[in-house]
Amino acid sequence: MSTVDTIAAEALDILGSGRQVPPFTASIAPGLDLDAAYRVTAAVRALREARGERVVGRKIGFTNRTIWAEYGVYAPIWGYVWDTTVTDLADTPVLPLAGLAEPRFEPEIMFGIGRAPRVGMDEEQLIGCLDWVAHGFEIVQSIFPNWKFAAADTVAAYGLHGRLVVGPRVPLAPGTDWLRALSGFRVELYRDGVLQDTGHARNVLDGPVSALRHLVGLLAQDPHNPPLAAGEIVSTGTLTRALPVAPGEEWSTRLDGVPLEGVKVRFA
């Protein structure tokens, strides 16, 4: 079995268990680089599809440059999101955390891809590829203890993806300058009604549409995974720090400067 297949099998084996393992770069694959890690991504996708799961989109990680030094990862990465991990906020007033390893909360902007974007499109053209925009959150997890890893580890470990909860989908109808709104809004993050952090659209590679543009470019250079297609959801990265969550807590957000609702969820 190749190193890529070995890592993919181990990653799948612990998925949903809440268990953790040493970083792959510190154990079974000291030479793991990003190219090999994205081959693991493709291998894990094949294994998950073989057991009946379906890809519904992508998440982009580490787009928020204000947290790069905290994790020692200095460039964005991406991972798949699945029909088994994505839910609508209206259907998820309570979200169980069982099976997730050291879960953290990330408020994000999500896009619905209406037509496949192309490399070289500017941000206005990318907005023209979208059917809708939403605010929601991702619960990220680390199968590596204490959130210590190399960039290649995060790619191989599902892009750190745990759950994605999508708020109300707002069609990109005429009358709103979406590019301006999506690059200039602010967000407040609360736990049990107490302010925990604030963020700004520009934290995410100067704005969520810029993050989408970066993803399109990354995928164009990836021989192992397909480009974005119509119908996919793209979550563009955390607008604040990623903060630990625990059962019994209620988390919420408030946005200013963009016509999107905040979110509220309780964890179990």
Side-chain angles (χ1 to χ4, degrees):
M1 182 181 289
S2 70
T3 300
V4 165
D5 290 336
T6 299
I7 295 172
E10 180 165 345
L12 189 70
D13 181 61
I14 63 173
L15 179 63
S17 71
R19 293 187 289 114
Q20 294 175 298
V21 295
F24 302 129
T25 56
S27 55
I28 60 178
L32 187 71
D33 61 13
L34 286 174
D35 180 75
Y38 282 116
R39 285 193 284 133
V40 173
T41 297
V44 171
R45 172 177 177 163
L47 292 171
R48 294 181 75 161
E49 289 178 333
R51 69 183 194 180
E53 294 182 78
R54 180 174 59 87
V55 167
V56 296
R58 324 283 173 112
K59 59 77 51 89
I60 320 174
F62 297 108
T63 52
N64 189 330
R65 290 171 292 206
T66 70
I67 66 173
W68 284 359
E70 179 181 353
Y71 295 98
V73 175
Y74 292 90
I77 59 99
W78 69 270
Y80 290 111
V81 299
W82 301 84
D83 61 342
T84 53
T85 65
V86 177
T87 56
D88 285 345
L89 180 65
D91 301 327
T92 319
V94 178
L95 182 64
L97 296 173
L100 299 173
E102 295 189 50
R104 297 189 175 192
F105 188 102
E106 295 189 342
E108 307 202 4
I109 296 297
M110 294 96 177
F111 297 133
I113 304 297
R115 61 185 179 92
R118 301 188 309 275
V119 175
M121 282 184 166
D122 63 24
E123 294 183 3
E124 287 282 7
Q125 291 171 317
L126 286 172
I127 286 178
C129 293
L130 305 178
D131 274 347
W132 53 263
V133 59
H135 170 52
F137 62 90
E138 184 182 18
I139 300 300
V140 290
Q141 63 172 330
S142 176
I143 62 171
F144 314 114
N146 303 312
W147 285 81
K148 300 298 183 184
F149 38 61
D153 293 308
T154 71
V155 171
Y158 348 107
L160 304 180
H161 175 61
R163 302 284 186 272
L164 188 69
V165 179
V166 184
R169 293 161 167 81
V170 177
L172 276 78
T176 298
D177 185 346
W178 280 104
L179 183 56
R180 181 172 182 173
L182 288 168
S183 59
F185 70 90
R186 290 177 169 80
V187 61
E188 296 175 340
L189 176 61
Y190 295 85
R191 181 183 64 205
D192 296 330
V194 178
L195 183 66
Q196 300 298 306
D197 202 10
T198 60
H200 194 281
R202 63 174 173 264
N203 290 350
V204 182
L205 295 185
D206 300 323
V209 184
S210 295
L212 175 61
R213 185 178 185 185
H214 185 84
L215 175 62
V216 171
L218 280 180
L219 293 172
Q221 302 171 39
D222 187 336
H224 315 299
N225 296 279
L228 290 173
E232 289 197 54
I233 296 169
V234 175
S235 195
T236 55
T238 187
L239 297 156
T240 65
R241 290 176 296 143
L243 298 177
V245 295
E249 296 174 344
E250 182 180 83
W251 286 70
S252 60
T253 62
R254 182 180 302 157
L255 280 70
D256 179 48
V258 66
L260 297 171
E261 299 178 11
V263 300
K264 181 182 289 186
V265 67
R266 181 168 294 277
F267 294 101

